[in-house]
Amino acid sequence: MVIDACHEERADQRPRLPVRRAFTLGVAGLLTAAGVLTLAGTASAASTLGGAAAAKGRYFGAAVAANHLGEGQYAATLDTEFNAVTPENEMKWESVESSRNSFNFGAADQIVSHAQGKSMKIRGHTLVWHSQLPGWVGGLGATDLRSAMNNHITKVMQHYQGKIYAWDVVNEAFQDGGSGARRSSPFQDKLGDGFIEEAFRTARAADPNAKLCYNDYNTDGQNAKSNAVYAMVKDFKARGVPIDCVGFQSHFNSQSPVPGDYQQNLQRFADLGVDVQITELDIEGSGSAQADSYRRVTQACLAVSRCTGITVWGIPDKYSWRASGTPLLFDDNYGKKPAYDAVLAALGGGGDGGGGGGGGRSCTVSYAETQRWGDRFNGQVTVRAGSSAISGWTVTVTLRSAQTVSATWNGSPSWDSSGKVMTMKPNGNGNLGAGASTSFGFTVMANGDWSAPTIGSCTAS
Ligand code: XIL
């Protein structure tokens, strides 16, 4: 009998093998595959965000507020989990120079000395920004404004000389929307386009050892705004204007999700010869959907060799600037959320018992492409219980936009409205002893895109 490689499979039925039989293993009939992608760490892997990131040559930081440092759980979580900090507000112009040439570094110094005591990297945020700018700055004429800007950069950077890893020299200088134009601000309106270049040149002279970054939001994917920033960075590099890094704030929510081309966008900036950093990450939501987005961001940074680190914009949800959207990795009681587990696993850390909470039940997933032919391929996800037995599991599979699924087996799928996100639950294979595994499979119609679908983290019950 000739097996037609292009026939449509019926759902919930294992497809017949095309042309040649694959090597099978054991009763479950698992197919061997080269390059199995393991999505979870081992028991010996680092058990904190900072430790796991360090093992990958990255930092993992948090925005920190000086007025919370006295709270035991806050400081303990910071010190245990993170190896970098960004003062959330304390280094902004209104905080350090609320009246002209009179500097107050008290709150920022508190964060800096805390971080130094724990050998954490410090990102300086931010020198020139239209927001949180004291009124007196906007009242100056061009000549005065130029010298006030340069004085501010110089005095602040010299105060922290040798202590700051990277400075956001200029923040949010481009407008949202399709124009790619500069944002109106006292600096832009009075000094013109050249203010950014001048700020970077002044910054290099003030602290030659700090990395100098341009930082912005809604530049996370390729769009008119990020294209405009890209053109500026390219021009700076061509003309020798000192710039070392670009920060991508990465504030995400349902209106502004993690863009599909996030990694490619980071990469194209890196290809200009600058470091890239994820500087203010927060993603509104909860549960496995939030965890999956965090995981994608973490994987994107790891996939770009010049992505030097990730900073989340706060520690527990309750102190987030967007607290109602619960966008962070820790809940209000400093409990680790599924997003935390996903980030830690993506960093290659964690392992059994790494999740905390959840009654000790945990699971991990790995993915392999087991078969490819004609116009489709088979994917297989292996679900493995952690150190405790589990009685159920949930894993999401997110297809590339061109792809569809024509068949599934050994699982019970449900689909989101986009038709691209399949949530798989057990179909009689939910009970797993400690360390035991099961697998489900699916056939993907590639429609030209042969890349692997994104496998979300595993949630155990
Ligand atoms: C936010 C802080 O989190 C808030 O506490 C403050 O009230 C406003 O600024 N882009 C930035 C950050 O570069 O400095 C902002 O931080 C968030 C958006």
Side-chain angles (χ1 to χ4, degrees):
M1 188 188 94
V2 175
I3 297 172
D4 173 7
C6 293
H7 74 284
E8 204 64 26
E9 312 294 351
R10 274 187 293 131
D12 294 310
Q13 214 181 47
R14 190 186 175 89
R16 301 176 72 171
L17 301 178
V19 190
R20 67 186 167 83
R21 285 198 81 75
F23 181 57
T24 59
L25 279 179
V27 284
L30 305 189
L31 303 178
T32 58
V36 171
L37 175 64
T38 298
L39 301 171
T42 62
S44 62
S47 59
T48 66
L49 301 171
K56 301 279 188 196
R58 307 314 203 266
Y59 64 83
F60 204 97
V64 163
N67 62 332
H68 299 316
L69 284 174
E71 186 185 322
Q73 270 188 299
Y74 183 91
T77 306
L78 170 63
D79 296 348
T80 306
E81 292 289 345
F82 297 93
N83 59 2
V85 298
T86 304
E88 185 173 358
N89 289 298
E90 291 78 352
M91 286 184 179
K92 291 173 181 175
W93 197 315
E94 70 174 10
S95 305
V96 295
E97 193 191 3
S98 60
S99 54
R100 191 169 181 179
N101 206 27
S102 161
F103 289 86
N104 173 3
F105 293 112
D109 284 355
Q110 240 185 295
I111 296 174
V112 168
S113 65
H114 184 101
Q116 284 197 303
K118 307 286 176 193
S119 303
M120 296 172 176
K121 275 194 160 66
I122 302 162
R123 291 194 87 262
H125 177 78
T126 174
L127 295 164
V128 180
W129 187 28
H130 67 277
S131 184
Q132 294 179 277
L133 185 66
W136 64 265
V137 181
L140 301 177
T143 308
D144 247 6
L145 177 64
R146 172 170 284 118
S147 71
M149 179 183 85
N150 289 325
N151 182 58
H152 179 80
I153 293 169
T154 304
K155 295 276 173 59
V156 177
M157 286 186 77
Q158 285 180 345
H159 180 79
Y160 291 111
Q161 195 157 32
K163 300 180 178 173
I164 303 291
Y165 161 69
W167 270 105
D168 291 330
V169 178
V170 175
N171 196 31
E172 301 181 356
F174 287 80
Q175 218 167 274
D176 269 342
S179 70
R182 295 291 183 84
R183 177 198 292 277
S184 166
S185 72
F187 308 106
Q188 181 66 36
D189 301 347
K190 291 175 188 162
L191 306 181
D193 283 356
F195 90 89
I196 302 184
E197 171 171 352
E198 180 158 351
F200 275 82
R201 290 189 189 279
T202 302
R204 180 66 96 223
D207 183 353
N209 294 318
K211 286 187 184 287
L212 308 181
C213 304
Y214 177 78
N215 191 53
D216 215 326
Y217 68 98
N218 284 352
T219 49
D220 314 296
Q222 297 195 37
N223 55 42
K225 189 173 176 180
S226 68
N227 288 345
V229 176
Y230 180 87
M232 178 187 77
V233 175
K234 191 172 180 189
D235 170 58
F236 279 15
K237 294 300 282 185
R239 292 191 297 111
V241 179
I243 184 166
D244 306 305
C245 38
V246 176
F248 298 83
Q249 293 187 9
S250 306
H251 295 292
F252 297 121
N253 53 43
S254 53
Q255 270 74 54
S256 172
V258 182
D261 60 355
Y262 190 64
Q263 181 184 319
Q264 291 94 308
N265 190 48
L266 295 177
Q267 186 65 59
R268 73 167 174 152
F269 277 90
D271 289 343
L272 290 175
V274 290
D275 288 346
V276 295
Q277 296 162 2
I278 296 166
T279 52
E280 304 182 14
L281 178 62
D282 53 16
I283 307 175
E284 294 186 34
S286 62
S288 62
Q290 183 183 48
D292 287 345
S293 296
Y294 264 103
R295 191 167 162 280
R296 279 193 49 214
V297 169
T298 308
Q299 287 180 328
C301 180
L302 290 177
V304 175
S305 61
R306 291 199 75 154
C307 181
T308 59
I310 300 175
T311 301
V312 286
W313 206 240
I315 301 175
D317 282 334
K318 64 182 171 182
Y319 296 146
S320 164
W321 72 314
R322 291 176 170 175
S324 63
T326 62
L328 296 173
L329 301 178
F330 295 88
D331 67 24
D332 290 355
N333 301 311
Y334 298 90
K336 294 167 181 171
K337 295 165 61 179
Y340 171 97
D341 295 338
V343 171
L344 184 60
L347 289 170
D352 292 352
R361 291 173 193 224
S362 65
C363 51
T364 56
V365 282
S366 63
Y367 169 79
E369 182 185 315
T370 53
Q371 199 84 36
R372 183 181 287 205
W373 69 102
D375 52 358
R376 66 194 73 186
F377 62 92
N378 283 348
Q380 175 177 277
V381 172
T382 299
V383 177
R384 185 176 298 279
S387 53
S388 307
I390 64 175
S391 55
W393 43 263
T394 307
V395 177
T396 59
V397 175
T398 305
L399 302 175
R400 308 284 157 176
S401 53
Q403 297 170 341
T404 56
V405 158
S406 63
T408 67
W409 54 97
N410 293 343
S412 170
S414 58
W415 290 90
D416 81 340
S417 56
S418 75
K420 298 297 166 194
V421 183
M422 173 172 74
T423 299
M424 190 65 100
K425 291 180 183 294
N427 184 9
N429 52 349
N431 282 314
L432 297 175
S437 66
T438 185
S439 295
F440 65 85
F442 46 88
T443 299
V444 177
M445 305 305 298
N447 294 318
D449 190 340
W450 293 90
S451 38
T454 301
I455 313 301
S457 53
C458 188
T459 307
S461 55

